[in-house]
Amino acid sequence: MDWLAKLDRRWLFLCMGLAVIVPIVLGVDLAPPASPNAHAIYDAVEALPAGSKVLVSCDYDPGSEAEIYPMNLAVFHHLARKDCRIIITQLWPQAGPLVIRALDNAYYTNSDGEATGKMYGKDVANLGYKTGGQILISKMLQSIRDAFPEDVNGTPVSEIPAMEGIAKLDDFDMFIILSAGTPGTKEWVQQCQSRLGKPMASGVTAVSAPDFFAYVNSGQLIGLLGGLRGASDYEKLVNVPGRGMAGMGSQLTGHLLIVFFILIGNVGYFLGRRKAGRA
């Protein structure tokens, strides 16, 4: 086992690179079964009748795109399939281009690239970004049109068919918050869900997920998607494999390889000590 001590570390880097890339290239499904939290969100959306009004707040940026954007795609796929009317807001200014791309890739077209028949203005409205955080949410409780007079295209909200019957937050049937930090899930729960009691689900980064399980336990959130695992869970449930499931496969093979290296390294170390003791 002396060769282990002399092995060029670049071989280890190469092995790790292959372990991460190969599952993505081959498209092998190594993602674990969906968690109960993901099932709770999926079941809540499935229970919505056609035409239900859902607010999706996209509060993230390119720095958290790897974790939150796959959730965004899966959620849009599911809402389009359920024929829900969605209204989109953003508490983060950097989310705008990501939201437009997600709509193009998941709401207007399905996973096969075929048109879903959904139309902007009729089935979906993107109100864009407004500053204010908690204050803005509180204002939307009174009047959405005062908080967002126009959509991202400059069209008055009163002239958008998708906004028909929606004057304030209480008019929505469900809220889905995709959040990478503050303002985000915490503010939506405190300002909106605690006052209205409407179903609210959230998707957050893995590092912040532990902070929000208390909201799940209290019933303020019906479910929580955490990080890449949460994205993978929802992709599996809606049967739209994407970057979430692919990323979980890479994580699995990468972690297994690290464990293998640790075991081999320890075997080599103890065999080396045994050989030295005999000498």
Side-chain angles (χ1 to χ4, degrees), residues 25-86:
V25 173
L26 297 182
V28 181
D29 180 10
L30 299 176
S35 66
N37 264 297
H39 270 288
I41 299 174
Y42 177 83
D43 292 341
V45 175
E46 281 292 299
L48 292 173
S52 294
K53 302 179 287 291
V54 180
L55 184 141
V56 181
S57 187
C58 300
D59 309 324
Y60 64 102
D61 62 2
S64 52
E65 177 183 354
E67 294 178 284
I68 307 295
Y69 183 73
M71 297 180 194
N72 205 160
L73 290 175
V75 166
F76 281 174
H77 270 298
H78 198 190
L79 293 175
R81 188 182 303 168
K82 288 298 297 179
D83 201 23
C84 291
R85 193 188 340 162
I86 65 173

Side-chain angles (χ1 to χ4, degrees), residues 110-210:
N110 60 26
S111 56
D112 297 323
E114 301 170 343
T116 60
K118 302 298 180 184
M119 297 175 58
Y120 184 84
K122 173 179 173 290
D123 305 292
V124 57
N126 182 6
L127 303 186
Y129 163 77
K130 282 289 189 300
T131 187
Q134 293 193 52
I135 298 174
L136 180 68
I137 298 172
S138 181
K139 190 173 184 178
M140 293 172 69
L141 286 165
Q142 306 301 320
S143 172
I144 293 179
R145 295 180 184 183
D146 286 345
F148 291 90
E150 302 176 339
D151 70 355
V152 291
N153 301 318
T155 304
V157 169
S158 58
E159 299 178 9
I160 301 175
M163 291 296 297
E164 183 179 350
I166 301 175
K168 53 187 184 297
L169 291 181
D170 197 27
D171 295 324
F172 286 98
D173 301 299
M174 185 177 180
F175 300 87
I176 299 178
I177 315 301
L178 303 174
S179 162
T182 303
T185 298
K186 180 180 179 180
E187 288 71 24
W188 276 103
V189 170
Q190 292 178 342
Q191 294 296 325
C192 179
Q193 202 285 331
S194 61
R195 299 185 187 186
L196 303 180
K198 294 291 185 75
M200 181 176 288
S202 180
V204 299
T205 57
V207 70
S208 63

Side-chain angles (χ1 to χ4, degrees), residues 69 73 76-77 98-113 240:
Y69 183 73
L73 290 175
F76 281 174
H77 270 298
L98 298 172
V99 169
I100 294 173
R101 195 200 319 162
L103 283 171
D104 290 339
N105 294 332
Y107 193 72
Y108 301 133
T109 58
N110 60 26
S111 56
D112 297 323
V240 182

Side-chain angles (χ1 to χ4, degrees), residues 7 38 115 146 228 238:
L7 184 65
D146 286 345
L228 199 63
V238 300

